[in-house]
Amino acid sequence: MSKATDQLQAQLQDVFGDRLAACKVDLDEVTLEIAPADLLDVCRTLRTRNEFAFSLLLDVCGVDYSEYGVDEWQTEEATLRGFSRGVDAQSSGRLRQGEEDLSVETARGSRRFAAVYHLLSISTNRRLRLRCYAPDAGLPVIPSVTSIWASANWYEREAFDLFGIVFEGHPDLRRILTDYGFIGHPFRKDFPLSGNVEVRYDPAKQRVVYEPVSIEPRVLVPKVIRDEVRRRENLS
């Protein structure tokens, strides 16, 4: 941990105290976990107080933790022979089976969806990461920070479009990447990789028609979780 990171962590804990659900350092960057009820107050303080001065919001990204830590192929190291020995070519392509339990409580309790904010202080040249979990996985709602950082407008629309996270108080919350008639949210872990529908032009009807997807799903590259010890050593 660098001296600047250590100092920032101490300042955050001193100013916010019990309002921090968590405050830890990973890869020489401080990560705060904030409850939705405290998000706006904490973010406003982070921007306006001189010792923080996080005037720039770099990104807001959504995260689905429903399968966090779950891999499809256990291995200790990479191989040059590809993934064929660990994959069934006729597998379901991560399409959920009818009897599979899709409840969020299976792996992460109610903490399935989260918004992650990346902040930069130009005056102090420090970075900060914030994470806020939506309390309800069925309808994930998190307060919008557009009143604090105007750049959050498009970022929150993207997280809403791809993950279905609703940002309460957003001035114009609508899809930004997918079609207006798109069904579902493509970055959710329960969304099929092949999609739900496909589009083609019907010469008989002389218009574009939507039909159930005809692609045969399969997994060619499985999800693999590897140790990050080497990455940490390179950063140190």
Side-chain angles (χ1 to χ4, degrees):
M1 181 188 303
S2 66
K3 182 178 179 180
T5 303
D6 188 30
Q7 181 184 24
L8 177 59
Q9 184 183 30
Q11 289 176 328
L12 293 167
Q13 292 172 333
D14 181 59
V15 171
F16 298 113
D18 295 339
R19 285 185 291 176
L20 299 181
C23 180
K24 63 180 182 178
V25 177
D26 190 17
L27 301 177
D28 200 31
E29 186 169 315
V30 181
T31 299
L32 299 183
E33 184 179 323
I34 309 295
D38 298 322
L39 179 63
L40 294 182
D41 186 42
V42 170
C43 288
R44 192 172 291 109
T45 302
L46 288 173
R47 174 162 188 172
T48 58
R49 289 190 60 148
N50 292 332
E51 65 265 44
F52 299 131
F54 286 103
S55 59
L56 186 58
L57 175 66
L58 298 175
D59 188 25
V60 180
C61 56
V63 184
D64 182 355
Y65 286 98
S66 61
E67 292 183 356
Y68 181 76
V70 179
D71 56 11
E72 297 168 343
W73 180 31
Q74 296 183 0
T75 182
E76 296 297 330
E77 57 187 30
T79 173
L80 297 177
R81 293 179 295 175
F83 298 100
S84 59
R85 65 183 178 88
V87 181
D88 178 7
Q90 302 301 320
S91 59
S92 62
R94 301 191 192 102
L95 288 172
R96 303 305 185 99
Q97 304 299 321
E99 67 276 6
E100 186 175 353
D101 182 11
L102 298 181
S103 63
V104 181
E105 287 72 14
T106 303
R108 298 284 297 181
S110 61
R111 293 154 58 90
R112 173 178 177 179
F113 295 104
V116 180
Y117 307 80
H118 298 273
L119 308 179
L120 172 64
S121 173
I122 299 176
S123 59
T124 64
N125 192 27
R126 297 191 297 190
R127 296 175 183 267
L128 180 65
R129 183 188 303 112
L130 272 69
R131 179 168 54 198
C132 181
Y133 283 95
D136 184 1
L139 180 59
V141 179
I142 295 176
S144 172
V145 297
T146 52
S147 61
I148 304 172
W149 295 287
S151 60
N153 191 313
W154 280 33
Y155 297 140
E156 290 180 351
R157 284 181 58 185
E158 181 183 45
F160 164 71
D161 191 359
L162 300 180
F163 290 92
I165 300 174
V166 177
F167 292 91
E168 187 176 14
H170 191 284
D172 187 21
L173 193 62
R174 54 193 169 92
R175 294 188 182 274
I176 192 172
L177 295 177
T178 60
D179 189 13
Y180 292 112
F182 191 87
I183 300 175
H185 304 282
F187 277 12
R188 287 192 175 189
K189 297 294 180 64
D190 52 9
F191 189 87
L193 295 184
S194 56
N196 292 310
V197 296
E198 61 185 24
V199 182
R200 68 174 180 87
Y201 179 77
D202 190 326
K205 298 180 180 179
Q206 296 186 352
R207 64 179 177 86
V208 172
V209 296
Y210 290 82
E211 297 176 339
V213 64
S214 60
I215 302 174
E216 180 183 350
R218 60 178 181 170
V219 173
L220 295 180
V221 181
K223 178 182 176 183
V224 179
I225 301 175
R226 295 191 176 92
D227 190 7
E228 293 192 3
V229 173
R230 286 179 296 179
R231 180 185 174 190
R232 295 177 184 272
E233 291 176 349
N234 293 332
L235 291 175
S236 62

